Amino acid sequence: MRLGVLDVGSNTVHLLVVDAHPGARPLPAHSHKAELRLAQLLDGNGAIGPDGVEKLVGVVQGALQAAEDKGVEDLVPFATSAVREASNADDVLSRVQAETGVELQVLTGAEEARLTFLAARRWFGWSAGKLLVLDIGGGSLEIAYGIDEEPDAAVSLPLGAGRLTAGWLPGDPPSADDIRALRRHVRAEIARTVGEFSRFGAPDHVVATSKTFKQLARIAGAARSAEGLYVQRELKRDSLETWVPRLAAMSTAQRSALPGVSEGRANQLVAGALVAEAAMDLLEVESVEVCPWALREGVILRRLDHMGSA
């Protein structure tokens, strides 16, 4: 069947269409994206303002039209941290449903971590052993660890690249004082969770997903996306530590000129790099392998599992 997942994230609204059936690898058929940056549209009270809600409704309507055009039979719509943590989340969800007919399922942070972990486990297989998975989104950081398809530990922290950029790094380039303050904040938040993972022992394989890690790996020398999904891409901590101060000293325009860095994400890259560096350092990770599959694929796989057992 042709299955669609509509991901209302903190940075983008992304419709991914795949041809899939239980027991087979989902084959991508179409991708429809719109940058919305919900994480940066919150007002002083933590609510998504009228303009933001209006834009969200319009983008969801556009994604629905694209899904119809591509012959999607089953659409799985979900929202992550930006909607989940908005003070007017219920009103936003009601408005979207009333105007589009789409009932967004709001994932908890732990669900995000578990579904991303599932995608990484299926991609790398059982031979990868104990997996540690890191994912930096626009609104949150997810960390999960385990040896099965369900992680033994999964946490979500409010350390997304978009959220931190909007709240901590107003300058372009950001000031040294702001960088230091954000670095302290990020490391204190992550340090509180280290014990939840260290008690299970060292992982056999450490995996990173998300646009942030892909871009950091690319500027550190990893293969271009054009070289295909199956090329191994790694990001080493010592390389990242070299790049963090360089990225912090650049303007958004200068960062957007780096290989693999999109113009829309360049302003968030410093915050994302600080989170990646802190997570790898505090969790004692020397290198991560970038996984092509992440949350959307995890949602698809879970839906297929349910179909296969029905």
Side-chain angles (χ1 to χ4, degrees):
M1 69 180 304
R2 184 152 277 197
L3 176 67
V5 287
L6 179 59
D7 174 3
V8 178
S10 298
N11 280 318
T12 60
V13 176
H14 188 171
L15 170 71
L16 177 63
V17 178
V18 298
D19 291 319
H21 64 269
R25 178 174 63 92
L27 297 174
H30 180 69
S31 178
H32 175 91
K33 296 181 186 178
E35 284 201 355
L36 195 56
R37 300 190 182 280
L38 281 177
Q40 298 180 33
L41 294 177
L42 303 179
D43 62 22
N45 298 316
I48 299 174
D51 287 347
V53 177
E54 194 70 34
K55 290 177 183 176
L56 174 58
V57 167
V59 168
V60 170
Q61 288 171 334
L64 280 178
Q65 185 62 56
E68 179 183 321
D69 292 346
K70 296 301 177 181
V72 169
E73 301 170 62
D74 186 16
L75 182 68
V76 185
F78 67 92
T80 56
S81 63
V83 173
R84 178 173 68 236
E85 294 164 16
S87 60
N88 61 336
D90 290 342
D91 292 339
V92 172
L93 294 170
S94 296
R95 172 88 179 274
V96 170
Q97 185 173 6
E99 297 201 25
T100 70
V102 171
E103 185 177 358
L104 290 171
Q105 176 193 0
V106 180
L107 300 179
T108 67
E111 286 172 333
E112 281 192 60
R114 288 197 293 268
L115 288 164
T116 303
F117 184 89
L118 171 64
R121 169 58 75 195
R122 293 279 178 92
W123 181 267
F124 288 105
W126 299 112
S127 63
K130 293 180 288 186
L131 277 183
L132 175 64
V133 179
L134 308 175
D135 179 271
I136 302 171
S140 58
L141 162 70
E142 275 72 48
I143 309 172
Y145 179 104
I147 196 167
D148 297 317
E149 290 198 336
E150 183 71 19
D152 296 309
V155 300
S156 178
L157 301 172
L159 298 177
R163 176 200 298 270
L164 296 178
T165 301
W168 291 80
L169 301 179
D172 186 22
S175 73
D177 287 345
D178 287 342
I179 291 287
R180 279 193 296 270
L182 178 55
R183 185 179 188 275
R184 286 193 297 269
H185 170 70
V186 165
R187 286 175 175 261
E189 287 283 323
I190 295 174
R192 294 191 189 105
T193 71
V194 169
E196 296 186 42
F197 300 97
S198 61
R199 63 192 177 95
F200 293 107
D204 298 310
H205 199 62
V206 186
V207 174
T209 71
S210 74
K211 194 74 168 179
T212 293
F213 272 112
K214 289 175 183 176
Q215 291 184 340
L216 291 171
R218 178 72 186 95
I219 65 173
R224 297 175 299 121
S225 58
E227 295 183 38
L229 292 178
Y230 303 108
V231 175
Q232 186 179 36
R233 295 172 174 88
E234 289 187 325
L235 174 63
K236 296 185 181 299
R237 191 172 89 206
D238 57 1
S239 179
L240 179 58
E241 289 171 346
T242 299
W243 268 101
V244 167
R246 294 173 65 183
L247 292 171
M250 294 179 182
S251 67
T252 297
Q254 289 171 322
R255 279 180 238 122
S256 66
L258 293 171
V261 178
S262 64
E263 186 176 351
R265 302 273 184 146
N267 72 317
Q268 303 180 12
L269 196 57
V270 174
L274 287 169
V275 174
E277 179 191 36
M280 292 176 71
D281 185 15
L282 291 166
L283 292 166
E284 300 182 353
V285 171
E286 295 300 324
S287 176
V288 297
E289 183 172 357
V290 177
C291 179
W293 281 4
L295 177 59
R296 283 181 290 275
E297 287 78 11
V299 170
I300 291 168
L301 293 167
R302 181 61 51 82
R303 173 56 68 96
L304 292 174
D305 288 348
H306 289 164
M307 288 169 55
S309 62

